[in-house]
Amino acid sequence: MSTLDSFLADAVPACSESGLRALAYKAILGVIAELRIYDHPGELRLDECKLSGDLRVSRTPIREALTILEHQGFVRRRPRHGVFVVKKTRREIIEMVYACAALESMSVRLACAKATEAQLGALRASFRALYEADPTGGYHRYFEARWQFCRHAATLAQCAEILSMLNHLLLHLRSVHETVFRQSIDLAYLRAAYRAIIEALELRDAELASRLVLERGFRFARDIESCGDCF
C-alpha cells in the first residue's frame, strides 16, 4: 500500500449503507491529493459526469461525497459553474503547517512514553530514505518519507484523535508539500532534521524530539513564505 493509500484507507469508515459514498469519497479525495493544484494558475474543476463514469457509480454517491468534501474544505460549489478544488491562501497554509507541527510535537512526546523498544528501534529501517545521500527517485522519496513520518509518529503515540486530525491536515497540505519540495526544499537539511528527530525518539528524549519537530515546522513555514508566487 502506498503512503497516500494508507491515508485514504482511514478516510471514511466503511459501512453497508454508505459503501458507494465511501468509495466515491476516497477516490475523489485521492484525485484531489494528486492534482498538484498549486502548479495551476486557475481553479481546477471536477467533472461529476466523468467521476461517475470512471468510478462506475451513479451520480448520487458522487454528489454525496462532494458534499462531505465541501464541508471539509476540499472543494467549493459555484452555482451554474460546477465544483472546484479549493486552493488555500498562503496564510491559511502556514496556519495549517503550524497546527500540523503542534500535533506532531505532541505525537513524538507521547511516542517517547508509549512506543515499544522494537517500534522505536525500527524507525531507521522504516525511514531509510532519510539515511541515503542520494536515493533513486530523488526528492520524491524524501517527500514521501517526510509525509509519512508525521502520521507514523501519531500511530506510535497511540492517540486516534491526533491521527485523525493529522490525516485531515496532511491531505490538505499534500499539494503544498509537493510544490515547495520541488522548488525550494533543502534536502540535506531535511535528512539531518529527521535523523535528529529519530535519534531523540530512540533515546526517549521527549523534550528534544518535540523541540526538533517544532523547529522543522517553523522552517517549513518560512519556506512557504519565501516560495515566490506559488500560493
Side-chain angles (χ1 to χ4, degrees):
M1 180 180 290
S2 71
T3 307
L4 179 58
D5 287 341
S6 70
F7 278 73
L8 299 178
D10 295 331
V12 172
C15 61
S16 57
E17 295 83 359
S18 62
L20 291 178
R21 182 179 65 194
L23 171 66
Y25 175 92
K26 292 176 186 177
I28 297 169
L29 190 54
V31 169
I32 292 171
E34 296 288 16
L35 274 178
R36 294 185 180 179
I37 59 176
Y38 297 98
D39 289 351
H40 300 273
E43 291 185 304
L44 297 179
R45 182 175 179 273
L46 296 177
D47 189 323
E48 288 186 24
C49 290
K50 186 176 187 305
L51 289 170
S52 177
D54 290 345
L55 298 177
R56 299 182 181 179
V57 298
S58 71
R59 293 182 68 176
T60 297
I62 297 294
R63 287 170 176 164
E64 291 174 346
L66 289 171
T67 297
I68 297 171
L69 290 164
E70 183 175 21
H71 287 313
Q72 293 179 334
F74 287 102
V75 302
R76 68 164 58 92
R77 295 180 187 273
R78 291 172 56 189
R80 298 182 298 277
H81 289 86
V83 180
F84 295 83
V85 180
V86 169
K87 284 185 176 181
K88 300 295 185 182
T89 66
R90 190 188 302 267
R91 179 47 49 191
E92 288 172 330
I93 291 167
I94 289 172
E95 288 178 358
M96 285 192 291
V97 168
Y98 289 153
C100 192
L103 289 168
E104 190 177 357
S105 174
M106 179 58 72
S107 292
V108 296
R109 283 182 173 273
L110 289 171
C112 285
K114 294 185 175 184
T116 66
E117 288 297 321
Q119 288 173 324
L120 296 180
L123 286 171
R124 295 191 186 218
S126 298
F127 296 94
R128 58 182 176 274
L130 299 172
Y131 293 86
E132 298 173 3
D134 187 21
T136 303
Y139 88 91
H140 188 72
R141 288 191 63 193
Y142 294 130
F143 166 74
E144 291 295 343
R146 180 269 169 273
W147 204 61
Q148 188 180 21
F149 184 89
C150 187
R151 188 175 191 266
H152 188 70
T155 301
L156 295 182
Q158 301 172 41
C159 184
E161 287 299 321
I162 288 180
L163 180 57
S164 176
M165 288 186 282
L166 278 173
N167 276 344
H168 180 78
L169 286 167
L170 290 170
L171 284 166
H172 269 291
L173 289 170
R174 183 174 176 88
S175 291
V176 174
H177 279 126
E178 182 83 12
T179 298
V180 175
F181 262 63
R182 282 185 286 109
Q183 293 201 15
S184 62
I185 202 69
D186 182 343
L187 294 181
Y189 164 77
L190 180 76
R191 292 196 304 271
Y194 278 95
R195 288 199 300 264
I197 293 168
I198 288 172
E199 182 176 353
L201 283 167
E202 292 171 335
L203 296 172
R204 295 189 186 273
D205 189 334
E207 289 293 333
L208 178 59
S210 176
R211 177 171 61 80
L212 291 171
V213 164
L214 291 174
E215 287 176 358
R216 192 268 312 146
F218 283 120
R219 170 73 174 256
F220 187 48
R222 291 196 299 271
D223 288 339
I224 293 169
E225 283 281 15
S226 62
C227 194
D229 299 323
C230 300
F231 313 109

